[in-house]
Amino acid sequence: MENKKYRNFILRNYNDLPQLSALSDQEREAIGVVGRVLPFKANNYVVEELIDWSNVPEDPIFTLTFPREEMLSKTHYAQVKKLIDANDEAGLKQKVYDIRMKLNPNPAGQEHNVPMVDGIKLHGMQHKYRETVLFFPSQGQTCHAYCTFCFRWPQFSGMNELKFAMKEADLLHKYLLKHPKVSDVLFTGGDPLTAKASIMSAYIEPLLTKEFSHIRNIRIGSKTLAYWPYRFLTDKDADDMLRLFEKVKKAGKHLAFQGHFNHPVELSTDAVKQAIERILNTGAQIRTQSPLLRHINDDPKVWANMWKEQVRQGLIPYYMFVARDTGSKTFFEVPLEKAWNVFRKAYRNVSGICRTVRGPSMSANPGKIQVLGVAEVRGEKVFALRFLQCRNPNLVDIPFFAQYDKKATWFDELKPAFGEEEFFFQKDNLLGKYEKDIDFIWE
Ligand SMILES: *Cc1c(COP(=O)(O)O)cnc(C)c1O
Ligand code: SF4
């Protein structure tokens, strides 16, 4: 395997890329303008091995990583361009900040899920669902390239007050010791695998001791297989990272690698295939997830091919998400009915082996809500929905209904069906009543 040295392309040096001659002047300009608002970073693997430059700007991986004019509103685009042309750095900074604040930088009340230990707010963690604690290692608050649709973008763009990051593994461990109902720790970011293996060891190895016998599953959410598979092949500490995965397995725990793949192209290179093989050889499993994105993967054939290819390589399809209500959502959004149709048509075209996948799912404030489909009940057209995850776990898997709405793209836009005032979970403060530390309820 070639020893590929990581090199990134950001606003400062993207014009050095010879591949960009495939673009028009206006498309090149758009990278500089939109890239001021939505963080931009690509790398030599993405540019050389994933993007088909004879197919830009439509190429899905180009759209996934390079800003395009339509990702900002016409007004915002014109405002930013004017300030760039006028060389007004101070004005530009303020304008970029104002626009970002309008783009809903912190969707679905993520700030409400921040836990406490010994009276200290743990900004590097979220604990929303009983079994699973999210942890954001401060060294993993970046990615090997940036997705143009990403909702984590305030973390990359210097908006520090929104940065969910925490320095000390200590507080994580303290919190977990106090919460015996937690069985899963999910390392996320950014991309936690931008951190060194030694850093990940400092967080993970203590969890392998007897004290933490309640922690069964170590989960790592990462886009590294798709954006920089050399992390597991030829990077300096590639072998150390794999050895850490092995240790988890040897300690009798499950290592779940949650890989983000947005398009089958990301599964097609020799590098990614070898990286997958090396990870699976450690005893880890790889589950996959992706949002459904217009211009990138809003086609059932793309999903069916992606799931089939994943299964061929030993991966387990896990989630299809609805794109979050943030950033350049208007460019990427897909109405819920269409999302369900893409899911359904892909799902019915694969065998049961691929149907471990669930979706389309919205990570909304009350929980992860799956669109089960459009149905007609006594003459009223409705969406059938259910919680795949909920702040109150007792509400998971109970079907409920919303009025059909052709244009709706997110749960907030939906109203209860059958003339009801509220959804079932809004009655009697059902969501708020639940305490995370109560026992499991079997009745
Ligand atoms: C998605 C998510 C999880 C993990 O949910 P699983 O269904 O177990 O994969 C945990 N916490 C938060 C806040 C999430 O959004
Ligand atoms: S890899 Fe994940 S966290 Fe990183 S930019 Fe893409 S969507 Fe955002």
Side-chain angles (χ1 to χ4, degrees):
M1 180 53 53
E2 170 198 5
N3 187 349
K4 201 161 184 137
K5 212 167 162 316
Y6 178 78
R7 177 162 181 233
N8 67 31
F9 302 102
I10 53 178
L11 278 182
R12 191 157 14 90
N13 67 354
Y14 74 90
N15 269 315
D16 302 346
L17 270 174
Q19 286 88 344
L20 287 194
S21 60
L23 299 178
S24 69
D25 289 346
Q26 200 176 345
E27 284 159 352
R28 264 198 306 273
E29 172 200 277
I31 299 170
V33 176
V34 180
R36 289 304 292 244
V37 181
L38 306 169
F40 159 63
K41 177 159 105 184
N43 67 47
N44 47 335
Y45 172 72
V46 171
V47 165
E48 289 162 14
E49 301 190 49
L50 294 184
I51 296 175
D52 171 5
W53 289 93
S54 68
N55 184 32
V56 291
E58 277 74 37
D59 179 81
I61 306 300
F62 176 81
T63 306
L64 179 63
T65 47
F66 281 82
R68 285 169 55 175
E69 188 169 346
E70 311 91 294
M71 290 173 188
L72 281 190
S73 74
K74 282 205 163 64
T75 320
H76 288 162
Y77 190 92
Q79 288 168 334
V80 174
K81 178 166 162 30
K82 200 169 149 202
L83 290 163
I84 291 176
D85 291 346
N87 251 326
D88 177 358
E89 264 308 311
L92 183 60
K93 234 176 154 175
Q94 184 59 44
K95 176 54 73 187
V96 163
Y97 181 83
D98 294 345
I99 295 175
R100 283 179 179 163
M101 290 316 284
K102 288 198 178 108
L103 297 178
N104 189 20
N106 197 10
Q110 289 177 72
E111 74 279 14
H112 299 317
N113 308 319
V114 176
M116 311 258 292
V117 70
D118 297 344
I120 305 171
K121 262 196 160 180
L122 305 179
H123 282 286
M125 289 172 52
Q126 281 184 44
H127 189 189
K128 180 170 179 179
Y129 307 128
R130 179 175 52 197
E131 291 82 6
T132 304
V133 163
L134 301 193
F135 181 71
F136 301 74
S138 56
Q139 299 85 350
Q141 296 310 302
T142 184
C143 299
H144 291 98
Y146 293 154
C147 309
T148 44
F149 69 81
C150 181
F151 69 89
R152 298 256 158 82
W153 52 273
Q155 291 162 228
F156 310 143
S157 47
M159 296 175 82
N160 279 326
E161 65 274 30
L162 292 170
K163 194 164 168 174
F164 296 114
M166 137 175 142
K167 291 247 148 47
E168 288 144 277
D170 234 32
L171 290 171
L172 166 71
H173 298 142
K174 244 187 189 160
Y175 185 82
L176 294 175
L177 284 176
K178 288 197 172 168
H179 293 270
K181 301 289 174 239
V182 174
S183 59
D184 294 31
V185 180
L186 172 45
F187 290 87
T188 178
D191 188 332
L193 297 186
T194 54
K196 291 197 189 98
S198 55
I199 301 277
M200 291 306 287
S201 289
Y203 292 120
I204 292 176
E205 288 205 40
L207 299 177
L208 307 181
T209 59
K210 234 183 173 160
E211 271 181 308
F212 292 97
S213 57
H214 58 299
I215 305 299
R216 311 174 75 89
N217 305 309
I218 306 288
R219 300 165 58 168
I220 300 177
S222 172
K223 177 86 186 168
T224 299
L225 274 171
Y227 276 164
W228 189 249
Y230 298 96
R231 177 77 190 86
F232 310 102
L233 301 173
T234 54
D235 276 11
K236 245 197 231 139
D237 62 350
D239 292 349
D240 296 339
M241 189 67 88
L242 294 168
R243 242 172 271 136
L244 174 63
F245 292 2
E246 265 168 21
K247 272 189 196 156
V248 173
K249 171 81 182 170
K250 284 198 182 119
K253 302 196 194 261
H254 175 52
L255 191 119
F257 188 110
Q258 300 202 213
H260 302 189
F261 291 99
N262 305 116
H263 194 279
V265 166
E266 296 167 327
L267 295 152
S268 68
T269 66
D270 288 343
V272 75
K273 288 179 186 167
Q274 290 186 30
I276 288 171
E277 207 177 312
R278 294 197 83 194
I279 292 172
L280 294 179
N281 282 340
T282 68
Q285 286 187 346
I286 305 175
R287 290 178 175 72
T288 64
Q289 58 193 49
S290 167
L292 171 61
L293 303 154
R294 195 154 58 92
H295 302 290
I296 291 178
N297 61 22
D298 57 338
D299 174 352
K301 286 195 208 81
V302 168
W303 285 86
N305 288 338
M306 185 158 70
W307 294 334
K308 283 191 268 192
E309 183 56 26
Q310 286 169 357
V311 166
R312 189 219 304 274
Q313 294 187 42
L315 282 51
I316 305 166
Y318 188 64
Y319 270 137
M320 174 202 272
F321 292 119
V322 179
R324 303 274 300 237
D325 47 346
T326 176
S328 43
K329 171 162 163 69
T330 45
F331 182 76
F332 291 114
E333 71 190 355
V334 173
L336 295 178
E337 181 178 28
K338 163 130 196 219
W340 167 61
N341 273 311
V342 170
F343 181 86
R344 178 173 71 91
K345 287 176 188 172
Y347 192 82
R348 75 183 184 197
N349 269 298
V350 294
S351 80
I353 286 287
C354 298
R355 290 186 191 163
T356 46
V357 67
R358 289 151 314 147
S361 166
M362 293 174 273
S363 283
N365 192 26
K368 280 188 170 65
I369 300 173
Q370 181 184 20
V371 181
L372 289 168
V374 175
E376 206 173 294
V377 180
R378 301 204 169 200
E380 183 176 338
K381 212 169 168 185
V382 295
F383 282 117
L385 307 165
R386 71 163 167 165
F387 284 114
L388 293 169
Q389 285 290 2
C390 184
R391 288 178 185 282
N392 179 345
N394 303 323
L395 309 184
V396 167
D397 211 24
I398 299 172
F400 63 102
F401 301 92
Q403 281 174 29
Y404 172 74
D405 179 340
K406 198 177 169 48
K407 291 206 188 112
T409 58
W410 195 253
F411 183 68
D412 293 1
E413 297 157 46
L414 298 181
K415 296 196 178 63
F418 315 127
E420 303 255 327
E421 295 273 305
E422 295 174 309
F423 289 109
F424 82 108
F425 60 88
Q426 292 167 325
K427 290 175 192 152
D428 306 324
N429 189 25
L430 268 181
L431 279 182
K433 259 185 196 161
Y434 174 74
E435 288 292 327
K436 282 197 183 74
D437 293 314
I438 64 167
D439 273 328
F440 293 93
I441 290 176
W442 293 109
E443 67 267 22

